[in-house]
Amino acid sequence: MADSLQPSKLGTKEHWDDVYAEELDNFEEIGDEGEIWFGEESVERMVDWAVENAPTSSMPSTVEIGSGNGTLLFALADAGYPPSHLSGIDYSPGAVKLATLIAAKREADVTFNTCDFLQQDPPLLPLMKPSSEGVWDLVLDKGTFDAIALGARDENDKSPAARYPGRIAEILKPGGCFLITSCNFTEEELQTIFSTSETRLMYHSRIEHPTFEFGGKRGNIISSVAFQKIGLP
């Protein structure tokens, strides 16, 4: 299913390096923090879901995969999540530099690291200890799986997205939640892709987004689905 999308420049590191080089220039020249992927409303809805399902009182260790300019993590910090428990990773060094500069401007102690998630584990925060069963309480994705699914296929004609669900399962604690927002996949497709016996990611909940109607059918521009990792029996 993730293999159904054709590769495009949006799935290349070069594209995102160029995007964040321009956004870095804009930030340094005029203080513009850059584009909010899927818009402010999507960020607000993801934060609302987190507050309800992974409340600030539980101080969840949280990592965003493909954090870009850090908008979602800064919104979580504004909602009361301890910045020391928030981490963002991105494979574009420019994105990490931009997010780090914005964090300094906002005086938000959120951690950002350059990391190719398909090849590397996100660095642990100081408060965390390694575990073979996963270490993060909450993992977030806002458009990153979409971009990975547009990456170049390997010699077996497999999309890099095929490795993504397993990687999420590896870093997520049993009982922890993974929340993904996508514009390329429906809720049903996301459930099929991520909720398998191999990942042990079970459907948890969804976020309501505005719908549209076309040709007698209703749909969403974006979809958000949460999964919870179940422990071994």
Side-chain angles (χ1 to χ4, degrees), residues 24 27-28 31 33 69-71 73-74 77-78 83 95-112:
L24 261 172
F27 179 77
E28 291 170 343
E33 295 184 357
N69 59 8
T71 299
L73 293 170
F74 296 133
D78 290 343
V96 173
K97 183 177 180 181
L98 175 61
T100 301
L101 290 173
I102 295 172
K105 173 186 172 184
R106 291 172 173 246
E107 298 183 346
D109 190 25
V110 179
T111 299
F112 295 96

Side-chain angles (χ1 to χ4, degrees), residues 104-144:
K105 173 186 172 184
R106 291 172 173 246
E107 298 183 346
D109 190 25
V110 179
T111 299
F112 295 96
N113 286 288
T114 304
C115 175
D116 183 346
F117 179 60
L118 293 182
Q119 310 295 335
Q120 304 166 291
D121 288 343
L124 302 185
L125 295 170
L127 57 98
M128 300 169 68
K129 295 181 180 179
S131 170
S132 61
E133 262 295 282
V135 293
W136 297 93
D137 296 305
L138 180 60
V139 178
L140 304 170
D141 177 320
K142 184 166 64 69
T144 298

Side-chain angles (χ1 to χ4, degrees), residues 34-103:
E35 182 179 357
I36 299 177
W37 204 243
F38 299 155
E40 292 184 12
E41 187 173 345
S42 69
V43 172
E44 293 170 0
R45 289 172 186 266
M46 291 182 78
V47 171
D48 288 345
W49 181 94
V51 168
E52 181 176 348
N53 295 281
T56 58
S57 58
S58 67
M59 295 195 295
S61 55
T62 302
V63 63
E64 182 183 5
I65 311 301
S67 49
N69 59 8
T71 299
L72 178 55
L73 293 170
F74 296 133
L76 287 170
D78 290 343
Y81 288 85
S84 60
H85 287 61
L86 301 175
S87 175
I89 62 168
D90 204 291
Y91 73 170
S92 173
V96 173
K97 183 177 180 181
L98 175 61
T100 301
L101 290 173
I102 295 172

Side-chain angles (χ1 to χ4, degrees), residues 178-198:
F178 168 56
L179 175 63
I180 179 171
T181 294
S182 168
C183 66
N184 285 342
F185 300 95
T186 66
E187 292 179 12
E188 294 76 14
E189 288 172 335
L190 291 172
Q191 290 188 48
T192 299
I193 292 167
F194 285 95
S195 185
T196 68
S197 58
E198 289 79 14

